[in-house]
Amino acid sequence: MLTTEAELFNNLVDGEWKPSISQRTFNSINPANKEEVVGVFQASTEEDVKLAIEAAERAFPNWSQTPPSKKATILNKAADYLEENVDQFAEELTREEGKAIGGSRKEVLRSAQTLRYYAVEGQSFTGETFPHDDPQMKVTSELEPLGVVTVITPWNFPISIPARKIAPALITGNTVVFKPSSETPLIAFRLVEALKQAGLPEGVLNFVTGSSRDIGDSLVDHPGVKAVTFTGSTWAGEQIHRNASLDTRTQMELGGKNPLIVMNDADVELAAKLTINGGFSLSGQACTGTSRVLVMKEMKDQYLQALIEKTSALKVGNGFEEGVTICPLASEKQLENVLKYIEIGKEEGAELVYGGKHLTDGHYANGYYVQPTIFTNVSPTMRIAKEEIFGPVISVIDVESYEEAISVANDVEYGLAASIVTNNIGIAQRFTREIQAGTVKVNRTTTGNLINAPFGGIKKSSTSTFRESGRDGLGFFTQIKTVYVGY
């Protein structure tokens, strides 16, 4: 039976917390205990979105002319708010999404760090002066904000991904309409709350919750929207990209099927550790997570032994429990998808050498728990080797050589992240050149990216236009005007 004594949260439109016009709501559920309602949120309509976009349009002229130092002050105050309330917000994030409490705490603090980073970088992001032959003319480029930006984000990093989109959008002078995932609206609310209490003017940031089926199109095809930044599935990203008008800029960070190559000279213990950290952290629900391991045949048995040994030591449980590595999947839909792919792997003839079970006994009964799963004898043509699963499922593929490994690694539609384990500097350098991925690592896990470095993929992992994060993350939110002044 659902525990329904939960707080009701409203949308933020034109500076006011308001219920949806629909008067309908939905529940955010704890994936570790599906009987607990974490919060009740607005089931918004297209009319709610329209009002939010119109509010952002009205706020744009003044915000775009606001001094950069004032914008930076607001971002820093919002960061203060997140840091001051990190214990509460981390607890809410773990209850809402299911991730381990330590990871939740790090994510809230990382989001504060992102706000501070853009508060600094945004104040020095400017145009250029161009040399020319006319001594009585000055030629410069100026960077101008785009206007209203819609921010649509996923549930797996439900505050850090919004922060790295919203902060550069605001510091460059844009106004924002933000729709978080319906699986994790509470922590998104906290980010908006932080910016509002920091002094953000009315209408500059608007917050609407609800199903993408109901309001997704209106967030993209409204004529007032000048840019859409989205992180989520490739299918959804393709829909957004098709629906956006010619003068609406899009930034899509999408799916991945990320490989880890284990060479003959690799440190086996390191390779197993990187596989687990990349494939099983966040219960495999990271877009940069390791989902394929391409291991040299002569190393396979040794590597598998180390991998299974380390995996068997992992603890599955509630994110508040000490020592837990594998937390519940974020939703019933995620659980069903992961279990479906485990069955597909078996049917395709892959060998299940560890895990793969849906845990339902005892304290697992009310949560979305699945064991970490390892398949071996996987063919590169199998669906579990080609399609994004987004769960704690790793496919081990044995190969004869580096050349075969790089060929198999590149033979998917995605190109987000990739890594290699080797002590051969020549092979490492070839790998960084030849792998088809936007984030490339050597002797490090496929997951993780710096706040101050660009992040994004190629092929169907991205629109391959503007990168997120770092100074490059500011570019998407500005347009160039070239100015010639004669005197």
Side-chain angles (χ1 to χ4, degrees):
M1 182 176 180
L2 283 177
T3 303
T4 56
E5 292 181 5
E7 185 176 351
L8 174 67
F9 296 89
N10 287 330
N11 292 336
L12 179 66
V13 178
D14 206 11
E16 295 183 19
W17 298 108
K18 300 177 180 179
S20 168
I21 292 170
S22 72
Q23 297 297 308
R24 292 183 294 110
T25 60
F26 66 93
N27 296 332
S28 177
I29 304 298
N30 182 347
N33 177 14
K34 57 190 177 184
E35 295 182 354
E36 179 191 359
V37 177
V38 178
V40 181
F41 294 85
Q42 302 303 310
S44 301
T45 66
E46 290 186 353
E47 185 63 25
D48 292 308
V49 172
K50 179 183 176 183
L51 292 174
I53 293 171
E54 289 173 350
E57 286 183 294
R58 290 192 297 271
F60 175 70
N62 285 338
W63 181 248
S64 64
Q65 297 302 313
T66 299
S69 61
K70 184 174 181 180
K71 296 173 190 166
T73 296
I74 291 172
L75 293 185
N76 279 318
K77 285 183 178 180
D80 291 341
Y81 186 82
L82 294 180
E83 290 167 349
E84 290 163 2
N85 294 279
V86 62
D87 291 338
Q88 175 193 335
F89 296 167
E91 180 181 337
E92 290 175 344
L93 175 50
T94 292
R95 288 174 57 225
E96 183 174 51
E97 188 202 339
K99 68 176 56 173
I101 186 65
S104 293
R105 184 180 178 84
K106 288 178 181 177
E107 183 174 347
V108 174
L109 293 177
R110 179 185 173 92
S111 302
Q113 185 183 6
T114 298
L115 297 179
R116 295 195 192 283
Y117 173 80
Y118 282 112
V120 174
E121 286 296 323
Q123 294 187 77
S124 62
F125 191 67
T126 187
E128 300 176 83
T129 299
F130 300 95
H132 55 85
D133 293 337
D134 185 344
Q136 293 184 312
M137 184 170 68
K138 184 177 182 180
V139 183
T140 61
S141 64
E142 298 178 0
L143 300 179
E144 297 183 335
L146 303 175
V148 178
V149 176
T150 55
V151 174
I152 307 171
T153 57
W155 47 260
N156 58 335
F157 292 100
I159 184 169
S160 63
I161 289 177
R164 80 180 187 214
K165 294 174 182 288
I166 292 171
L170 293 178
I171 198 67
T172 50
N174 299 277
T175 53
V176 172
V177 176
F178 170 34
K179 192 204 92 67
S181 167
S182 294
E183 305 295 348
T184 50
L186 177 54
I187 195 64
F189 177 95
R190 296 304 185 199
L191 176 60
V192 173
E193 180 182 63
L195 288 159
K196 186 178 190 302
Q197 68 80 37
L200 204 63
E202 295 177 358
V204 173
L205 174 61
N206 302 272
F207 174 73
V208 291
T209 57
S211 167
S212 293
R213 292 188 300 273
D214 295 332
I215 61 177
D217 288 347
S218 55
L219 287 162
V220 175
D221 59 19
H222 189 287
V225 174
K226 301 306 177 186
V228 180
T229 176
F230 168 81
T231 298
S233 72
T234 294
W235 180 86
E238 288 179 332
Q239 293 292 112
I240 291 171
H241 195 55
R242 279 194 291 266
N243 291 343
S245 67
L246 181 64
D247 62 347
T248 299
R249 185 176 289 185
T250 60
Q251 180 185 58
M252 306 284 122
E253 290 302 337
L254 310 173
K257 193 66 181 174
N258 311 296
L260 175 73
I261 297 176
V262 181
M263 296 301 298
N264 285 329
D265 66 334
D267 179 326
V268 172
E269 291 296 310
L270 174 63
K273 178 182 176 182
L274 294 178
T275 303
I276 287 171
N277 290 346
F280 295 148
S281 61
L282 195 61
S283 302
Q285 300 172 121
C287 57
T288 54
T290 303
S291 58
R292 297 180 292 155
V293 179
L294 314 179
V295 60
M296 299 300 129
K297 277 189 178 180
E298 61 190 76
M299 292 282 288
K300 179 183 174 183
D301 290 344
Q302 186 182 2
Y303 164 77
L304 267 178
Q305 181 180 348
L307 178 62
I308 292 171
E309 181 179 313
K310 291 183 183 297
T311 302
S312 64
L314 300 178
K315 183 178 180 180
V316 181
N318 190 303
F320 288 110
E321 295 177 34
E322 186 175 352
V324 164
T325 302
I326 307 296
C327 298
L329 297 173
S331 66
E332 184 175 11
K333 180 180 177 182
Q334 278 302 110
L335 175 65
E336 291 173 352
N337 187 65
V338 170
L339 293 175
K340 178 190 76 173
Y341 272 103
I342 290 172
E343 290 306 309
I344 288 171
K346 294 176 185 176
E347 292 166 4
E348 289 181 314
E351 182 182 355
L352 179 64
V353 293
Y354 188 86
K357 293 181 180 178
H358 178 198
L359 301 176
T360 58
D361 295 335
H363 61 280
Y364 297 125
N366 288 324
Y368 307 124
Y369 293 98
V370 66
Q371 288 180 312
T373 303
I374 303 170
F375 281 103
T376 188
N377 295 332
V378 176
S379 164
T381 59
M382 291 179 179
R383 289 181 64 187
I384 60 169
K386 290 279 194 181
E387 299 174 11
E388 186 175 45
I389 300 173
F390 224 63
V393 180
I394 291 173
S395 296
V396 178
I397 304 169
D398 51 274
V399 292
E400 297 278 3
S401 64
Y402 165 79
E403 287 75 18
E404 183 183 359
I406 200 74
S407 175
V408 172
N410 288 335
D411 189 25
V412 293
E413 64 182 0
Y414 301 108
L416 185 53
S419 184
I420 192 169
V421 189
T422 183
N423 291 311
N424 186 321
I425 189 65
I427 289 293
Q429 289 180 335
R430 282 188 64 185
F431 173 74
T432 61
R433 292 194 306 269
E434 296 171 357
I435 190 68
Q436 296 170 0
T439 300
V440 183
K441 300 184 180 182
V442 176
N443 296 324
R444 292 294 184 270
T445 178
T446 57
T447 51
N449 59 286
L450 295 175
I451 286 172
N452 59 342
F455 170 76
I458 61 174
K459 299 197 286 189
K460 287 196 174 182
S461 290
S462 173
T463 43
S464 295
T465 49
F466 295 86
R467 289 291 187 246
E468 293 190 344
S469 295
R471 195 170 176 85
D472 285 18
L474 293 160
F476 173 75
F477 300 100
T478 60
Q479 55 194 350
I480 298 173
K481 176 181 286 182
T482 306
V483 180
Y484 296 75
V485 178
Y487 53 89

